[in-house]
Coordinates of all heavy atoms in Angstrom, one line a residue:
M1 N 0.8 -1.2 0.0 CA 0.0 0.0 0.0 C 0.9 1.2 0.0 O 1.8 1.3 0.8 CB -0.9 0.0 1.2 CG -1.8 1.1 1.4 SD -2.8 1.1 2.9 CE -3.2 -0.6 3.1
R2 N 0.7 2.1 -0.9 CA 1.4 3.4 -1.0 C 1.1 4.3 0.2 O 0.0 4.1 0.8 CB 1.2 4.1 -2.3 CG 1.8 3.3 -3.4 CD 1.7 4.2 -4.7 NE 2.2 3.4 -5.8 CZ 1.8 3.5 -7.0 NH1 0.9 4.4 -7.3 NH2 2.4 2.8 -8.0
C3 N 2.0 5.2 0.5 CA 1.7 6.1 1.6 C 0.4 6.9 1.4 O -0.4 7.0 2.4 CB 2.9 7.1 1.8 SG 4.4 6.2 2.4
A4 N 0.2 7.4 0.2 CA -1.1 8.2 0.0 C -2.3 7.3 0.1 O -3.3 7.6 0.7 CB -1.0 8.9 -1.3
A5 N -2.2 6.1 -0.4 CA -3.3 5.1 -0.3 C -3.5 4.7 1.2 O -4.6 4.6 1.6 CB -3.0 3.9 -1.2
G6 N -2.4 4.5 1.9 CA -2.5 4.2 3.3 C -3.1 5.3 4.1 O -3.9 5.0 5.0
L7 N -2.8 6.6 3.7 CA -3.5 7.7 4.4 C -5.0 7.7 4.2 O -5.8 7.9 5.1 CB -2.8 9.0 4.0 CG -3.5 10.3 4.5 CD1 -3.3 10.3 6.0 CD2 -2.9 11.5 3.9
V8 N -5.3 7.5 2.9 CA -6.8 7.5 2.6 C -7.5 6.3 3.2 O -8.6 6.4 3.8 CB -7.0 7.4 1.0 CG1 -8.4 7.2 0.7 CG2 -6.4 8.7 0.4
L9 N -6.9 5.1 3.2 CA -7.6 3.9 3.7 C -7.5 3.8 5.2 O -8.5 3.3 5.8 CB -7.0 2.7 3.0 CG -7.2 2.5 1.5 CD1 -6.4 1.4 1.0 CD2 -8.7 2.4 1.2
A10 N -6.4 4.1 5.8 CA -6.2 4.0 7.2 C -6.4 5.2 8.0 O -6.6 5.2 9.2 CB -4.8 3.4 7.5
G11 N -6.3 6.4 7.4 CA -6.5 7.6 8.1 C -5.3 8.2 8.7 O -5.3 9.2 9.3
S12 N -4.1 7.5 8.5 CA -2.9 8.0 9.0 C -1.7 7.4 8.2 O -1.9 6.5 7.5 CB -2.7 7.6 10.5 OG -2.7 6.2 10.6
Y13 N -0.6 8.1 8.4 CA 0.6 7.6 7.7 C 1.2 6.4 8.5 O 1.1 6.3 9.7 CB 1.7 8.6 7.6 CG 1.4 9.7 6.6 CD1 1.1 11.0 6.9 CD2 1.4 9.3 5.2 CE1 0.8 11.9 5.9 CE2 1.1 10.3 4.2 CZ 0.8 11.6 4.6 OH 0.6 12.5 3.7
S14 N 1.8 5.5 7.8 CA 2.3 4.3 8.4 C 3.8 4.1 8.0 O 4.1 4.2 6.8 CB 1.5 3.0 7.9 OG 2.3 1.9 8.1
P15 N 4.6 3.9 9.0 CA 6.1 3.7 8.7 C 6.2 2.4 7.8 O 7.1 2.4 6.9 CB 6.7 3.4 10.0 CG 5.8 4.0 11.0 CD 4.4 3.9 10.4
F16 N 5.4 1.4 7.9 CA 5.4 0.3 7.1 C 5.2 0.6 5.6 O 5.9 0.3 4.7 CB 4.4 -0.8 7.5 CG 4.1 -1.9 6.5 CD1 5.0 -2.9 6.4 CD2 3.0 -1.8 5.7 CE1 4.8 -3.9 5.5 CE2 2.8 -2.8 4.8 CZ 3.7 -3.9 4.7
A17 N 4.1 1.4 5.4 CA 3.8 1.8 4.0 C 4.9 2.7 3.4 O 5.2 2.5 2.2 CB 2.5 2.6 4.0
L18 N 5.5 3.5 4.2 CA 6.6 4.4 3.7 C 7.8 3.5 3.3 O 8.4 3.6 2.2 CB 7.1 5.4 4.8 CG 8.3 6.2 4.4 CD1 8.0 7.1 3.2 CD2 8.7 7.0 5.6
Q19 N 8.2 2.6 4.2 CA 9.4 1.7 3.9 C 9.1 0.8 2.7 O 10.0 0.7 1.8 CB 9.7 0.9 5.1 CG 10.3 1.7 6.2 CD 10.3 0.9 7.5 OE1 9.5 0.1 7.8 NE2 11.3 1.3 8.4
V20 N 8.0 0.2 2.6 CA 7.7 -0.7 1.5 C 7.5 0.1 0.2 O 7.9 -0.4 -0.9 CB 6.4 -1.5 1.8 CG1 6.0 -2.3 0.6 CG2 6.7 -2.4 3.0
S21 N 7.0 1.3 0.2 CA 6.8 2.1 -1.0 C 8.2 2.6 -1.6 O 8.2 3.0 -2.8 CB 5.9 3.3 -0.8 OG 6.5 4.3 0.1
L22 N 9.2 2.6 -0.8 CA 10.5 3.0 -1.4 C 11.0 2.2 -2.5 O 11.6 2.7 -3.5 CB 11.6 3.1 -0.3 CG 11.4 4.1 0.8 CD1 12.5 4.0 1.9 CD2 11.5 5.5 0.2
V23 N 10.8 0.9 -2.5 CA 11.2 0.0 -3.5 C 10.6 0.4 -4.9 O 11.4 0.7 -5.8 CB 10.9 -1.5 -3.2 CG1 11.3 -2.4 -4.4 CG2 11.7 -1.9 -1.9
P24 N 9.3 0.5 -5.0 CA 8.8 0.9 -6.4 C 9.2 2.4 -6.7 O 9.3 2.7 -7.9 CB 7.3 0.7 -6.3 CG 7.0 0.6 -4.8 CD 8.2 0.1 -4.2
I25 N 9.4 3.2 -5.7 CA 9.8 4.6 -6.0 C 11.1 4.6 -6.7 O 11.3 5.3 -7.7 CB 9.8 5.5 -4.7 CG1 8.4 5.8 -4.3 CG2 10.6 6.7 -4.9 CD1 8.3 6.4 -2.9
F26 N 12.1 3.9 -6.2 CA 13.4 3.8 -6.8 C 13.4 3.2 -8.2 O 14.0 3.7 -9.1 CB 14.4 3.0 -5.9 CG 14.7 3.7 -4.6 CD1 14.7 2.9 -3.4 CD2 14.9 5.0 -4.5 CE1 15.0 3.5 -2.2 CE2 15.2 5.6 -3.2 CZ 15.2 4.9 -2.1
L27 N 12.6 2.1 -8.3 CA 12.5 1.5 -9.6 C 11.8 2.3 -10.7 O 12.2 2.4 -11.8 CB 11.9 0.1 -9.5 CG 12.7 -0.9 -8.7 CD1 11.9 -2.2 -8.5 CD2 14.0 -1.2 -9.3
V28 N 10.7 3.0 -10.3 CA 10.0 3.8 -11.2 C 10.9 5.1 -11.6 O 10.9 5.5 -12.7 CB 8.7 4.3 -10.6 CG1 8.0 5.4 -11.5 CG2 7.7 3.1 -10.6
N29 N 11.6 5.6 -10.6 CA 12.5 6.7 -11.0 C 13.5 6.2 -12.0 O 13.8 7.0 -13.0 CB 13.3 7.1 -9.7 CG 14.3 8.2 -10.0 OD1 13.8 9.3 -10.3 ND2 15.6 7.9 -10.0
N30 N 14.1 5.0 -11.9 CA 15.0 4.5 -12.9 C 14.3 4.4 -14.3 O 14.9 4.7 -15.3 CB 15.6 3.2 -12.5 CG 16.9 3.4 -11.7 OD1 17.3 4.5 -11.6 ND2 17.4 2.3 -11.2
L31 N 13.1 3.9 -14.3 CA 12.3 3.7 -15.5 C 12.1 5.1 -16.2 O 12.3 5.2 -17.4 CB 11.0 3.0 -15.3 CG 10.1 2.9 -16.5 CD1 10.7 1.9 -17.5 CD2 8.7 2.4 -16.0
L32 N 11.8 6.1 -15.4 CA 11.6 7.4 -16.0 C 12.9 8.0 -16.6 O 12.9 8.6 -17.6 CB 10.9 8.3 -15.0 CG 9.5 8.0 -14.5 CD1 9.1 8.9 -13.4 CD2 8.6 8.1 -15.7
M33 N 14.0 7.7 -15.9 CA 15.2 8.3 -16.3 C 15.7 7.5 -17.6 O 16.2 8.1 -18.6 CB 16.3 8.2 -15.3 CG 17.6 8.9 -15.7 SD 18.7 9.4 -14.5 CE 19.0 8.0 -13.6
L34 N 15.5 6.2 -17.7 CA 15.8 5.5 -18.9 C 15.0 5.9 -20.1 O 15.5 5.9 -21.2 CB 15.6 4.0 -18.6 CG 16.7 3.3 -17.8 CD1 16.3 1.8 -17.7 CD2 18.1 3.4 -18.5
N35 N 13.8 6.3 -19.9 CA 13.0 6.8 -21.0 C 13.5 8.1 -21.5 O 13.1 8.5 -22.6 CB 11.5 7.0 -20.5 CG 10.8 5.6 -20.4 OD1 11.2 4.7 -21.2 ND2 9.8 5.6 -19.6
Q36 N 14.4 8.8 -20.8 CA 14.9 10.1 -21.3 C 16.1 9.8 -22.2 O 16.4 10.7 -23.0 CB 15.3 11.0 -20.1 CG 14.2 11.4 -19.3 CD 14.6 12.0 -18.0 OE1 15.8 12.1 -17.7 NE2 13.7 12.5 -17.2
Y37 N 16.8 8.7 -22.1 CA 18.0 8.4 -22.9 C 17.8 8.5 -24.4 O 18.6 9.1 -25.1 CB 18.6 7.1 -22.5 CG 19.4 7.2 -21.2 CD1 19.0 7.8 -20.1 CD2 20.7 6.5 -21.2 CE1 19.7 7.8 -18.9 CE2 21.4 6.6 -20.0 CZ 20.9 7.2 -18.9 OH 21.7 7.2 -17.8
P38 N 16.8 7.8 -25.0 CA 16.7 7.8 -26.5 C 16.5 9.2 -27.1 O 16.8 9.4 -28.3 CB 15.5 6.9 -26.7 CG 15.2 6.1 -25.5 CD 15.8 7.0 -24.4
D39 N 15.9 10.1 -26.4 CA 15.5 11.4 -26.9 C 16.5 12.5 -26.5 O 16.1 13.7 -26.6 CB 14.1 11.8 -26.5 CG 13.1 10.7 -26.9 OD1 13.3 10.1 -27.9 OD2 12.1 10.5 -26.1
L40 N 17.7 12.2 -26.1 CA 18.6 13.2 -25.6 C 18.8 14.4 -26.6 O 18.7 15.5 -26.3 CB 19.9 12.6 -25.2 CG 20.0 11.9 -23.8 CD1 21.3 11.3 -23.6 CD2 19.6 12.9 -22.7
D41 N 19.2 14.0 -27.9 CA 19.5 15.0 -28.9 C 18.2 15.9 -29.1 O 18.3 17.1 -29.2 CB 20.0 14.4 -30.1 CG 21.3 13.7 -29.9 OD1 22.1 14.2 -29.0 OD2 21.6 12.7 -30.6
A42 N 17.1 15.3 -29.3 CA 15.9 16.0 -29.6 C 15.5 16.9 -28.4 O 15.1 18.1 -28.6 CB 14.7 15.1 -29.9
D43 N 15.6 16.4 -27.2 CA 15.3 17.1 -26.0 C 16.2 18.3 -25.8 O 15.8 19.4 -25.5 CB 15.3 16.3 -24.7 CG 14.2 15.3 -24.6 OD1 13.2 15.5 -25.4 OD2 14.2 14.4 -23.8
R44 N 17.5 18.1 -26.1 CA 18.5 19.2 -26.0 C 18.2 20.3 -27.0 O 18.3 21.5 -26.7 CB 19.9 18.6 -26.2 CG 21.0 19.6 -25.8 CD 22.4 19.0 -26.0 NE 22.6 18.0 -24.9 CZ 22.9 16.7 -25.1 NH1 22.9 16.2 -26.3 NH2 23.1 15.9 -24.0
A45 N 17.8 19.9 -28.2 CA 17.5 20.9 -29.3 C 16.3 21.6 -28.9 O 16.1 22.8 -29.3 CB 17.3 20.1 -30.6
A46 N 15.3 21.0 -28.2 CA 14.1 21.7 -27.8 C 14.2 22.5 -26.5 O 13.3 23.1 -26.1 CB 13.0 20.6 -27.6
G47 N 15.4 22.4 -25.9 CA 15.6 23.2 -24.7 C 15.2 22.6 -23.4 O 15.1 23.2 -22.4
R48 N 14.9 21.3 -23.5 CA 14.4 20.6 -22.2 C 15.7 20.4 -21.3 O 16.8 20.3 -21.8 CB 13.8 19.2 -22.6 CG 12.5 19.4 -23.3 CD 11.7 18.2 -23.3 NE 11.4 17.8 -22.0 CZ 11.0 16.5 -21.7 NH1 11.0 15.6 -22.6 NH2 10.7 16.2 -20.4
R49 N 15.4 20.4 -20.0 CA 16.5 20.2 -19.1 C 16.1 19.1 -18.1 O 15.3 19.4 -17.2 CB 16.7 21.5 -18.3 CG 17.2 22.6 -19.3 CD 17.4 23.9 -18.5 NE 18.1 23.9 -17.3 CZ 19.4 23.9 -17.1 NH1 20.2 23.9 -18.2 NH2 20.0 23.8 -15.9
H50 N 16.6 17.9 -18.3 CA 16.4 16.8 -17.4 C 17.7 16.3 -17.0 O 18.8 16.7 -17.5 CB 15.4 15.8 -17.9 CG 15.7 15.3 -19.3 ND1 16.8 14.5 -19.6 CD2 15.0 15.4 -20.4 CE1 16.8 14.2 -20.9 NE2 15.7 14.8 -21.4
F51 N 17.8 15.4 -16.0 CA 19.0 15.0 -15.4 C 20.1 14.6 -16.4 O 21.2 15.1 -16.3 CB 18.7 13.8 -14.4 CG 19.9 13.6 -13.4 CD1 19.8 14.3 -12.2 CD2 21.0 12.9 -13.7 CE1 20.9 14.2 -11.3 CE2 22.0 12.7 -12.8 CZ 22.0 13.4 -11.6
P52 N 19.9 13.7 -17.3 CA 21.0 13.3 -18.2 C 21.5 14.5 -19.1 O 22.7 14.5 -19.4 CB 20.4 12.2 -19.2 CG 19.2 11.7 -18.4 CD 18.7 12.8 -17.6
I53 N 20.6 15.5 -19.4 CA 21.1 16.6 -20.2 C 21.9 17.6 -19.3 O 23.0 18.0 -19.6 CB 19.9 17.3 -20.8 CG1 19.4 16.5 -22.0 CG2 20.3 18.7 -21.4 CD1 18.1 17.0 -22.7
V54 N 21.4 17.9 -18.1 CA 22.0 18.9 -17.2 C 23.3 18.4 -16.6 O 24.3 19.1 -16.6 CB 21.0 19.3 -16.1 CG1 21.7 20.2 -15.1 CG2 19.8 19.9 -16.7
Y55 N 23.3 17.1 -16.2 CA 24.5 16.6 -15.5 C 25.4 15.6 -16.4 O 26.5 15.3 -16.0 CB 24.1 15.9 -14.2 CG 23.5 16.8 -13.2 CD1 22.1 16.9 -13.1 CD2 24.3 17.7 -12.5 CE1 21.5 17.7 -12.2 CE2 23.7 18.6 -11.6 CZ 22.3 18.6 -11.5 OH 21.8 19.5 -10.6
G56 N 24.9 15.2 -17.5 CA 25.6 14.4 -18.4 C 25.4 12.9 -18.2 O 24.9 12.5 -17.1
L57 N 25.7 12.1 -19.2 CA 25.4 10.7 -19.1 C 26.2 9.9 -18.0 O 25.7 9.1 -17.4 CB 25.6 10.0 -20.5 CG 24.5 10.4 -21.5 CD1 24.9 9.7 -22.8 CD2 23.2 9.9 -21.0
P58 N 27.5 10.3 -17.8 CA 28.2 9.5 -16.8 C 27.6 9.6 -15.4 O 27.4 8.6 -14.7 CB 29.6 10.1 -16.8 CG 29.8 10.6 -18.2 CD 28.4 11.1 -18.6
K59 N 27.2 10.8 -15.0 CA 26.5 11.0 -13.7 C 25.1 10.4 -13.7 O 24.7 9.8 -12.7 CB 26.4 12.5 -13.4 CG 27.7 13.1 -13.0 CD 27.6 14.5 -12.5 CE 29.0 15.0 -12.1 NZ 28.9 16.4 -11.7
A60 N 24.4 10.4 -14.9 CA 23.1 9.8 -15.0 C 23.3 8.2 -14.8 O 22.4 7.6 -14.1 CB 22.4 10.1 -16.3
H61 N 24.3 7.7 -15.3 CA 24.6 6.2 -15.2 C 24.8 5.9 -13.7 O 24.3 4.9 -13.2 CB 25.8 5.8 -16.0 CG 25.6 5.9 -17.5 ND1 24.4 5.8 -18.1 CD2 26.5 6.2 -18.4 CE1 24.6 6.0 -19.4 NE2 25.9 6.2 -19.6
W62 N 25.6 6.8 -13.0 CA 25.8 6.5 -11.6 C 24.5 6.6 -10.7 O 24.3 5.8 -9.8 CB 26.9 7.5 -11.0 CG 28.2 7.1 -11.3 CD1 29.1 7.6 -12.3 CD2 29.0 6.0 -10.7 NE1 30.3 6.9 -12.2 CE2 30.2 5.9 -11.3 CE3 28.6 5.1 -9.7 CZ2 31.2 5.0 -10.9 CZ3 29.6 4.2 -9.3 CH2 30.8 4.1 -9.9
I63 N 23.7 7.6 -11.1 CA 22.4 7.7 -10.4 C 21.5 6.5 -10.6 O 20.9 6.0 -9.7 CB 21.7 9.0 -10.8 CG1 22.5 10.3 -10.3 CG2 20.3 9.1 -10.3 CD1 22.6 10.3 -8.8
Y64 N 21.5 6.0 -11.9 CA 20.8 4.8 -12.2 C 21.3 3.6 -11.3 O 20.5 2.9 -10.7 CB 20.9 4.5 -13.7 CG 20.2 3.3 -14.1 CD1 18.8 3.3 -14.3 CD2 20.8 2.0 -14.2 CE1 18.1 2.2 -14.7 CE2 20.2 0.9 -14.6 CZ 18.8 1.0 -14.8 OH 18.1 -0.2 -15.2
A65 N 22.6 3.5 -11.2 CA 23.2 2.4 -10.4 C 22.8 2.6 -8.9 O 22.5 1.6 -8.2 CB 24.7 2.3 -10.6
L66 N 22.9 3.8 -8.5 CA 22.6 4.1 -7.1 C 21.1 3.8 -6.7 O 20.9 3.2 -5.7 CB 22.9 5.6 -6.8 CG 22.6 6.0 -5.3 CD1 23.6 5.4 -4.4 CD2 22.7 7.5 -5.3
F67 N 20.2 4.1 -7.6 CA 18.8 3.8 -7.4 C 18.5 2.3 -7.5 O 17.7 1.8 -6.7 CB 17.9 4.6 -8.3 CG 17.6 6.0 -7.7 CD1 18.3 7.1 -8.1 CD2 16.6 6.2 -6.8 CE1 18.0 8.3 -7.6 CE2 16.3 7.4 -6.3 CZ 17.0 8.5 -6.7
N68 N 19.2 1.6 -8.3 CA 19.1 0.1 -8.3 C 19.6 -0.4 -7.0 O 18.9 -1.3 -6.4 CB 19.9 -0.5 -9.5 CG 19.1 -0.6 -10.7 OD1 17.9 -0.6 -10.7 ND2 19.8 -0.8 -11.9
L69 N 20.7 0.0 -6.6 CA 21.2 -0.4 -5.3 C 20.3 -0.1 -4.1 O 20.0 -0.9 -3.2 CB 22.6 0.2 -5.0 CG 23.4 -0.2 -3.8 CD1 23.7 -1.7 -3.8 CD2 24.6 0.6 -3.6
A70 N 19.7 1.1 -4.2 CA 18.8 1.5 -3.1 C 17.5 0.7 -3.1 O 17.0 0.3 -2.1 CB 18.4 3.0 -3.3
A71 N 17.0 0.3 -4.3 CA 15.8 -0.5 -4.4 C 16.0 -1.9 -3.8 O 15.3 -2.3 -3.0 CB 15.3 -0.6 -5.9
Y72 N 17.1 -2.5 -4.2 CA 17.3 -3.9 -3.8 C 17.8 -3.9 -2.3 O 17.5 -4.8 -1.5 CB 18.3 -4.6 -4.7 CG 17.6 -5.0 -6.0 CD1 17.8 -4.2 -7.1 CD2 16.8 -6.0 -6.1 CE1 17.2 -4.5 -8.3 CE2 16.1 -6.3 -7.2 CZ 16.3 -5.6 -8.4 OH 15.7 -5.9 -9.5
G73 N 18.6 -2.8 -1.9 CA 19.0 -2.7 -0.5 C 17.8 -2.5 0.4 O 17.8 -3.1 1.5
T74 N 16.9 -1.7 0.0 CA 15.7 -1.5 0.8 C 14.9 -2.8 0.9 O 14.4 -3.1 2.0 CB 14.8 -0.4 0.1 OG1 15.5 0.8 0.1 CG2 13.5 -0.1 0.9
L75 N 14.8 -3.5 -0.2 CA 14.1 -4.8 -0.1 C 14.7 -5.7 0.8 O 14.1 -6.3 1.7 CB 14.0 -5.4 -1.5 CG 13.3 -6.7 -1.6 CD1 11.8 -6.6 -1.3 CD2 13.5 -7.3 -3.1
I76 N 16.0 -5.8 0.7 CA 16.8 -6.8 1.6 C 16.6 -6.3 3.1 O 16.4 -7.1 4.0 CB 18.3 -6.8 1.2 CG1 18.4 -7.6 -0.1 CG2 19.1 -7.5 2.3 CD1 19.7 -7.5 -0.8
S77 N 16.8 -5.0 3.3 CA 16.6 -4.6 4.7 C 15.2 -4.8 5.3 O 15.1 -5.1 6.4 CB 17.1 -3.1 4.8 OG 16.2 -2.2 4.1
C78 N 14.2 -4.6 4.4 CA 12.8 -4.8 4.9 C 12.6 -6.3 5.2 O 11.9 -6.6 6.2 CB 11.8 -4.3 3.9 SG 11.6 -2.5 3.8
I79 N 13.2 -7.2 4.5 CA 13.1 -8.6 4.8 C 13.9 -8.9 6.0 O 13.4 -9.6 6.9 CB 13.6 -9.4 3.6 CG1 12.7 -9.2 2.4 CG2 13.7 -10.9 3.9 CD1 13.2 -9.8 1.1
A80 N 15.1 -8.4 6.2 CA 15.9 -8.6 7.3 C 15.3 -8.1 8.6 O 15.4 -8.7 9.7 CB 17.3 -8.0 7.2
L81 N 14.6 -7.0 8.5 CA 13.9 -6.4 9.7 C 12.5 -7.0 9.9 O 11.8 -6.5 10.8 CB 13.8 -4.9 9.5 CG 15.2 -4.2 9.5 CD1 15.0 -2.7 9.2 CD2 15.8 -4.3 10.9
Q82 N 12.2 -8.0 9.1 CA 10.9 -8.6 9.2 C 9.7 -7.7 8.9 O 8.6 -7.9 9.4 CB 10.7 -9.4 10.5 CG 11.7 -10.5 10.6 CD 11.6 -11.3 11.9 OE1 10.9 -10.8 12.8 NE2 12.2 -12.4 12.0
I83 N 9.9 -6.7 8.1 CA 8.9 -5.8 7.7 C 8.1 -6.5 6.6 O 6.9 -6.3 6.5 CB 9.4 -4.4 7.3 CG1 10.1 -3.7 8.5 CG2 8.4 -3.5 6.6 CD1 10.9 -2.5 8.1
L84 N 8.8 -7.1 5.7 CA 8.2 -7.9 4.6 C 8.5 -9.4 4.9 O 9.5 -9.8 5.5 CB 8.9 -7.5 3.3 CG 8.6 -6.2 2.7 CD1 9.4 -5.9 1.5 CD2 7.1 -6.1 2.4
P85 N 7.6 -10.2 4.4 CA 7.8 -11.7 4.6 C 9.0 -12.2 3.8 O 9.4 -11.6 2.8 CB 6.5 -12.3 4.2 CG 5.9 -11.3 3.2 CD 6.3 -10.0 3.7
V86 N 9.5 -13.4 4.2 CA 10.6 -14.0 3.5 C 10.3 -14.2 2.0 O 11.2 -14.1 1.2 CB 11.0 -15.3 4.2 CG1 12.1 -16.0 3.5 CG2 11.4 -15.0 5.6
W87 N 9.1 -14.5 1.7 CA 8.7 -14.7 0.3 C 9.0 -13.5 -0.6 O 9.1 -13.7 -1.8 CB 7.2 -15.1 0.2 CG 6.9 -16.5 0.7 CD1 6.4 -16.8 1.9 CD2 7.2 -17.7 0.1 NE1 6.3 -18.2 2.1 CE2 6.8 -18.7 1.0 CE3 7.8 -18.0 -1.1 CZ2 7.0 -20.1 0.6 CZ3 8.0 -19.4 -1.4 CH2 7.6 -20.4 -0.6
S88 N 9.1 -12.4 0.0 CA 9.4 -11.2 -0.8 C 10.8 -11.3 -1.4 O 11.1 -10.5 -2.4 CB 9.4 -9.9 0.1 OG 8.1 -9.8 0.7
A89 N 11.6 -12.2 -0.9 CA 13.0 -12.3 -1.5 C 12.9 -12.9 -2.9 O 13.9 -12.8 -3.6 CB 13.8 -13.3 -0.6
L90 N 11.7 -13.4 -3.3 CA 11.6 -13.8 -4.7 C 11.8 -12.6 -5.7 O 12.3 -12.8 -6.8 CB 10.2 -14.4 -5.0 CG 10.0 -15.7 -4.4 CD1 8.5 -16.1 -4.5 CD2 10.9 -16.8 -5.1
A91 N 11.6 -11.4 -5.2 CA 11.8 -10.2 -6.0 C 13.3 -10.0 -6.3 O 13.7 -9.4 -7.3 CB 11.3 -9.0 -5.3
L92 N 14.2 -10.7 -5.5 CA 15.6 -10.6 -5.8 C 16.0 -11.4 -7.0 O 17.2 -11.2 -7.5 CB 16.4 -11.1 -4.5 CG 16.2 -10.2 -3.3 CD1 16.9 -10.9 -2.1 CD2 16.7 -8.8 -3.5
L93 N 15.2 -12.2 -7.5 CA 15.5 -12.9 -8.8 C 15.7 -12.0 -9.9 O 16.4 -12.4 -10.9 CB 14.4 -13.9 -9.1 CG 14.2 -15.1 -8.1 CD1 12.9 -15.9 -8.5 CD2 15.4 -16.0 -8.1
T94 N 15.2 -10.8 -9.8 CA 15.4 -9.8 -10.9 C 16.7 -9.0 -10.7 O 17.1 -8.3 -11.6 CB 14.3 -8.8 -11.0 OG1 14.2 -8.1 -9.7 CG2 12.9 -9.5 -11.2
A95 N 17.4 -9.2 -9.6 CA 18.7 -8.5 -9.4 C 19.7 -8.7 -10.5 O 20.4 -7.7 -10.9 CB 19.2 -8.8 -8.0
P96 N 19.9 -9.9 -11.0 CA 20.9 -10.0 -12.0 C 20.6 -9.2 -13.3 O 21.5 -8.7 -14.0 CB 20.9 -11.5 -12.4 CG 20.4 -12.2 -11.1 CD 19.4 -11.2 -10.5
L97 N 19.3 -9.1 -13.6 CA 18.9 -8.2 -14.7 C 19.2 -6.7 -14.4 O 19.7 -6.0 -15.3 CB 17.4 -8.4 -15.0 CG 17.0 -9.8 -15.4 CD1 15.4 -9.8 -15.5 CD2 17.6 -10.1 -16.7
A98 N 19.0 -6.3 -13.2 CA 19.4 -4.9 -12.8 C 20.9 -4.7 -12.9 O 21.3 -3.7 -13.3 CB 18.8 -4.6 -11.4
V99 N 21.6 -5.7 -12.5 CA 23.1 -5.6 -12.5 C 23.5 -5.5 -14.0 O 24.4 -4.6 -14.3 CB 23.8 -6.8 -11.8 CG1 25.3 -6.8 -12.1 CG2 23.5 -6.7 -10.3
R100 N 23.0 -6.3 -14.8 CA 23.3 -6.3 -16.2 C 22.9 -4.9 -16.9 O 23.7 -4.4 -17.7 CB 22.7 -7.4 -17.0 CG 23.1 -7.5 -18.4 CD 22.8 -8.8 -19.0 NE 23.3 -8.9 -20.3 CZ 22.7 -9.3 -21.4 NH1 21.4 -9.6 -21.3 NH2 23.3 -9.3 -22.5
A101 N 21.8 -4.4 -16.5 CA 21.3 -3.1 -17.1 C 22.2 -2.0 -16.6 O 22.4 -1.0 -17.3 CB 19.9 -2.9 -16.7
T102 N 22.7 -2.1 -15.4 CA 23.5 -1.1 -14.8 C 24.9 -1.1 -15.5 O 25.4 -0.1 -15.8 CB 23.7 -1.3 -13.3 OG1 22.4 -1.2 -12.7 CG2 24.6 -0.2 -12.7

């Protein structure tokens, strides 16, 4: 349950909802950044200013790697702290794909 959804459904914010929502936040951030890569030249010509254009591709690559690490690190820590059940470790099966993409 996302934090906003948790607020609407439960009437208050939940630390559980915040911690669990970090994983998709990091992964969606990476997806949005990857969608900016194919259009760099067109975006630059149109005057758009997003992370890969403003800071350059090397820094954008590092941010992508950092958010991948943050997503899987958050997942592992939530499992270790018993916030998420052990079955959530199945999501780690995608980690080799994230390493390869990084």
Side-chain angles (χ1 to χ4, degrees):
M1 178 180 327
R2 291 189 180 147
C3 290
L7 176 63
V8 171
L9 295 173
S12 63
Y13 285 111
S14 160
F16 168 78
L18 175 64
Q19 291 166 328
V20 172
S21 70
L22 290 176
V23 175
I25 285 171
F26 293 137
L27 293 175
V28 168
N29 179 70
N30 272 352
L31 176 66
L32 293 173
M33 187 157 54
L34 282 179
N35 283 332
Q36 296 169 354
Y37 278 47
D39 302 327
L40 281 176
D41 295 330
D43 287 349
R44 192 176 286 118
R48 293 197 59 203
R49 296 179 46 85
H50 49 68
F51 198 93
I53 289 176
V54 174
Y55 296 102
L57 287 178
K59 287 186 181 176
H61 297 329
W62 278 105
I63 293 298
Y64 179 82
L66 179 67
F67 274 95
N68 270 340
L69 184 64
Y72 288 100
T74 301
L75 179 63
I76 291 168
S77 66
C78 284
I79 294 168
L81 296 171
Q82 298 179 345
I83 296 169
L84 289 173
V86 175
W87 288 103
S88 302
L90 287 173
L92 296 174
L93 292 173
T94 62
L97 297 172
V99 169
R100 186 164 186 231
T102 300

